[in-house]
Amino acid sequence: MYHLECIECHKKYPETKVIYTCTCGGLLDVVYDYSRIHLTKNDLTGPLSVWKYRALLPISREPVSLDEGGTPLYRVDRIAKSVGLKDVYVKHEGMNPTGSFKDRGMTVGVTKALELGMKTVACASTGNTSASLAVYGARAGVPAVVLLPSGKVALGKLAQALMHGAKVLSIRGNFDDALKLVRDLCDREGFYLLNSVNPYRLEGQKTIAFEIADQLGWQAPDRLVLPVGNAGNITAIYKGFKELKNLGLIDSVPMMTGIQAEGASPIVAAIKNNAAAITPDSHPETVATAIRIGNPVNSIKALIAIRESGGTAETVTDDEIIRAQQELAYLEGIGVEPASASSIAGLRKLVELGVIGTDEKVVCVTTGHLLKDSEHVLSVCPKPIEIDATIEAVRAAVFSK
Ligand code: AN7
């Protein structure tokens, strides 16, 4: 029903082969025989979840699952008004079991690890991938090894990786260094690599597209806006929408619009310079530590997704990210981590620049939950007002300016 295929030289590999990139160095895709997949809207009734779309997932065994997916799509009229649009939605991926979209990839990826008979799973991570891998490793009963950039991982994410029993290694280097090391480690030790270079992980993440179309009544929005780090998610979501279009379930694919932090923006630079490939950034820096990535492994796929769909890419500053995070929190009651807020910051900037038209229906993906990074919250919000335990002090404080 499916195989792995290089996006550069189109060499094919059987789905039973443990391989992450082609012998030519190209990225791999999972390619299905779509002529054998007959899926209609009537087959897709019932509650949302990753495994609702099983006909389009490369797994035959019982999944390792914690009921991932099924995240809310909120209409956000106050944000829409604030940025000058009419039709804006937030797909809040922070509502997944571990608080980020990574769970969609991990339920598929860790299940694939079991199918392939792998004994240990591993990843490098800016935080969320490690939290998710630790949790799904625990659920599967398979040991997990995670490599993190020392001192640059939000505490909530680190806490998850530790509590769920992963072997946590803190690397004196950045995410890009950690990814290089874990790829080497997996090659040497036969561990299963679950970074987004693994095409099976992206298969899980493409279900974000399926759910959005499903929630909008089998329609694609005009535009999808999301944060970009290692560029797996933008690639995966684009593939998801394309598959729905191939199957005749939707008529169009949204303009894929990637947002990066100004201090870590190689994909935006490549789009603006019309370059065939990115120039890696050796010193990425941003308050949004989740996307503090200078050499995105899926950049070639992401450039294709953005260009083919007629989308774009834009940077936002750390201050713009924090403002967007606060706005989403107090205007709409949606709590997201800084990286996720970059989608809202990017939306505002692209409307101001006239790139996003005022009649567009836009979905912003918020990738991770507010509670992932509470240290950051305490550093940008006013402190609690500490007072004596008397009603006079309470009343004075309540009405203080
Ligand atoms: C909240 O956890 O790369 O462009 O190692 O945690 O698919 O990489 C996290 C990425 C956006 C970027 N938002 O997604 C990791 C990691 C949040 C994230 C991204 C991440 P990709």
Side-chain angles (χ1 to χ4, degrees):
M1 280 295 270
Y2 62 92
H3 62 269
L4 298 172
E5 190 168 319
C6 176
I7 66 162
E8 307 276 348
C9 74
H10 298 286
K11 184 168 175 184
K12 293 178 183 174
Y13 300 90
E15 101 273 2
T16 47
K17 190 163 172 67
V18 178
I19 187 167
Y20 310 106
T21 49
C22 182
T23 48
C24 82
L27 295 166
L28 300 175
D29 250 347
V30 179
V31 176
Y32 299 81
D33 181 355
Y34 293 103
S35 68
R36 291 174 62 190
I37 298 174
H38 301 287
L39 203 59
T40 65
K41 292 170 197 172
N42 290 337
D43 303 320
L44 292 169
T45 52
L48 294 174
S49 77
V50 166
W51 295 100
K52 173 177 182 180
Y53 313 99
R54 194 170 181 139
L56 287 163
L57 293 175
I59 294 292
S60 39
R61 64 169 283 147
E62 186 60 26
V64 177
S65 175
L66 288 158
D67 292 345
E68 46 292 314
T71 57
L73 182 74
Y74 300 121
R75 211 185 141 86
V76 288
D77 287 339
R78 292 197 197 96
I79 288 286
K81 189 162 175 232
S82 162
V83 302
L85 295 182
K86 291 183 256 208
D87 216 3
V88 181
Y89 298 79
V90 165
K91 177 71 169 162
H92 192 12
E93 286 295 298
M95 302 299 273
N96 273 293
T98 79
S100 87
F101 70 99
K102 306 285 182 181
D103 298 345
R104 296 179 185 271
M106 286 305 173
T107 182
V108 172
V110 171
T111 306
K112 184 50 88 176
L114 296 186
E115 270 190 3
L116 294 169
M118 306 303 281
K119 301 289 181 244
T120 301
V121 290
C123 71
S125 179
T126 57
N128 280 323
T129 301
S130 68
S132 188
L133 186 64
V135 167
Y136 283 84
R139 191 79 177 153
V142 172
V145 179
V146 305
L147 278 65
L148 308 176
S150 177
K152 292 291 183 179
V153 173
L155 270 190
K157 306 172 188 180
L158 184 60
Q160 289 175 296
L162 291 168
M163 179 56 96
H164 290 285
K167 170 142 274 183
V168 178
L169 309 180
S170 197
I171 305 292
R172 293 187 199 101
N174 63 27
F175 169 82
D176 304 293
D177 301 321
L179 181 57
K180 212 180 286 169
L181 286 167
V182 80
R183 290 179 78 165
D184 189 10
L185 179 73
C186 288
D187 284 345
R188 287 169 195 249
E189 304 300 334
F191 296 171
Y192 195 53
L193 179 66
L194 276 167
N195 280 99
S196 57
V197 67
N198 182 324
Y200 289 117
R201 238 197 65 193
L202 300 185
E203 289 303 291
Q205 288 173 209
K206 77 185 178 184
T207 60
I208 294 176
F210 299 168
E211 288 190 6
I212 290 171
D214 204 332
Q215 285 166 306
L216 292 174
W218 296 110
Q219 250 188 6
D222 297 314
R223 187 183 295 274
L224 202 93
V225 184
L226 77 165
V228 172
N230 225 9
N233 213 27
I234 191 166
T235 302
I237 296 174
Y238 178 57
K239 184 172 191 275
F241 279 116
K242 269 201 313 189
E243 286 182 349
L244 293 183
K245 186 156 180 271
N246 277 346
L247 293 168
L249 286 159
I250 56 173
D251 298 328
S252 62
V253 168
M255 293 177 271
M256 301 301 297
T257 303
I259 310 298
Q260 294 197 294
E262 205 172 62
S265 53
I267 294 202
V268 179
I271 289 292
K272 294 202 169 173
N273 299 330
N274 217 2
I278 61 151
T279 305
D281 181 345
S282 49
H283 298 290
E285 205 50 79
T286 167
V287 67
T289 53
I291 52 172
R292 184 175 170 272
I293 295 174
N295 190 12
V297 72
N298 286 299
S299 61
I300 296 289
K301 283 184 175 178
L303 293 176
I304 294 170
I306 291 167
R307 287 176 177 144
E308 269 186 7
S309 68
T312 189
E314 190 52 81
T315 59
V316 289
T317 65
D318 282 359
D319 284 347
E320 288 166 341
I321 290 174
I322 294 166
R323 178 180 164 204
Q325 184 189 25
Q326 290 172 328
E327 267 187 347
L328 198 53
Y330 71 72
L331 285 180
E332 299 286 358
I334 301 172
V336 306
E337 65 168 286
S340 308
S342 67
S343 60
I344 304 295
L347 175 74
R348 175 182 296 284
K349 183 163 176 188
L350 289 168
V351 174
E352 278 168 11
L353 292 172
V355 174
I356 296 184
T358 50
D359 288 333
E360 287 184 24
K361 180 191 278 235
V362 183
V363 173
C364 294
V365 182
T366 55
T367 42
H369 199 279
L370 174 74
L371 294 175
K372 290 280 191 173
D373 198 350
S374 39
E375 270 187 314
H376 157 82
V377 175
L378 295 179
S379 74
V380 299
C381 290
K383 289 205 169 31
I385 309 164
E386 187 167 334
I387 50 167
D388 289 335
T390 65
I391 190 63
E392 293 76 22
V394 170
R395 291 180 68 222
V398 164
F399 297 109
S400 72
K401 287 265 160 45

